[in-house]
Amino acid sequence: MDPVGEWDWADWFYFYSTVATFLTTIGVLGIIWQIIGERRTRHREFENMYVSRYWSIANNLPRRFVCGHPDYEANEKEVVALTEYLLLCEDELDLRMRGFVTDQTWEIWAEGICAASSDKKLRELASTFPPGRLTNFKTLLESGSSSFDPLAWSKTKRWWNGLR
């Protein structure tokens, strides 16, 4: 303002540039939010493929295994299903390690994988795989942790990639 108390052109320019900067900042934040939301949506669509794969395998798993009973017998078809389940677990662990599984989904998957990893017959079946196969699942077994997470990213990086 000039000494008389009236606005001159410089005051108006400063006012408009401040408003424009504020609106630009809001626009940029909106674009960032949209990018992260799009990433999260892609992750969810990808995760749904693995949920469908799980349900197709689960129909052939031994019922006592599914219910968490420690002793059960598995016929040939059920052993194939248990092997497919192990491979699914390995894929899910690998996907999480590479940053393709959201934190919310991982909480659910990890609970199931960790519970299954305590099954004696599943452990025996995993040990029949040659070295270099089921590496993530075997790492989980060795860790013995119920909160095992193969993803070693910071919270900020997980948020930026749409995982949080």
Side-chain angles (χ1 to χ4, degrees), residues 19-74:
V19 169
T21 301
F22 176 74
L23 293 175
T24 302
T25 302
I26 289 176
V28 168
L29 291 175
I31 290 169
I32 289 171
W33 192 260
Q34 185 177 9
I35 289 169
I36 292 169
E38 176 63 29
R39 289 178 180 170
R40 191 172 292 126
T41 301
R42 283 192 319 229
H43 289 303
R44 294 284 185 215
E45 290 172 1
F46 189 67
E47 293 164 354
N48 283 337
M49 290 188 317
Y50 281 83
V51 170
S52 297
R53 183 175 162 196
Y54 166 78
W55 285 113
S56 69
I57 294 169
N59 290 332
N60 297 318
L61 289 171
R63 295 293 164 231
R64 293 181 63 82
F65 167 78
V66 173
C67 296
H69 293 285
D71 294 321
Y72 59 89
E73 293 298 321

Side-chain angles (χ1 to χ4, degrees), residues 16-136:
Y16 287 130
S17 67
T18 302
V19 169
T21 301
F22 176 74
L23 293 175
T24 302
T25 302
I26 289 176
V28 168
L29 291 175
I31 290 169
I32 289 171
W33 192 260
Q34 185 177 9
I35 289 169
I36 292 169
E38 176 63 29
R39 289 178 180 170
R40 191 172 292 126
T41 301
R42 283 192 319 229
H43 289 303
R44 294 284 185 215
E45 290 172 1
F46 189 67
E47 293 164 354
N48 283 337
M49 290 188 317
Y50 281 83
V51 170
S52 297
R53 183 175 162 196
Y54 166 78
W55 285 113
S56 69
I57 294 169
N59 290 332
N60 297 318
L61 289 171
R63 295 293 164 231
R64 293 181 63 82
F65 167 78
V66 173
C67 296
H69 293 285
D71 294 321
Y72 59 89
E73 293 298 321
N75 61 33
E76 189 176 323
K77 181 180 176 184
E78 292 170 334
V79 170
V80 170
L82 286 168
T83 304
E84 289 176 357
Y85 180 71
L86 272 174
L87 294 172
L88 173 67
C89 291
E90 177 67 15
D91 287 349
E92 290 173 349
L93 286 160
D94 186 54
L95 289 172
R96 176 62 176 176
M97 183 178 70
R98 295 171 189 265
F100 290 109
V101 178
T102 62
D103 292 352
Q104 296 85 359
T105 300
W106 179 249
E107 288 178 23
I108 297 166
W109 287 5
E111 183 179 332
I113 293 170
C114 289
S117 69
S118 64
D119 184 79
K120 184 176 75 170
K121 290 190 178 167
L122 203 62
R123 285 174 170 262
E124 290 172 7
L125 186 59
S127 69
T128 65
F129 279 77
R133 293 288 307 214
L134 295 182
T135 54
N136 295 313

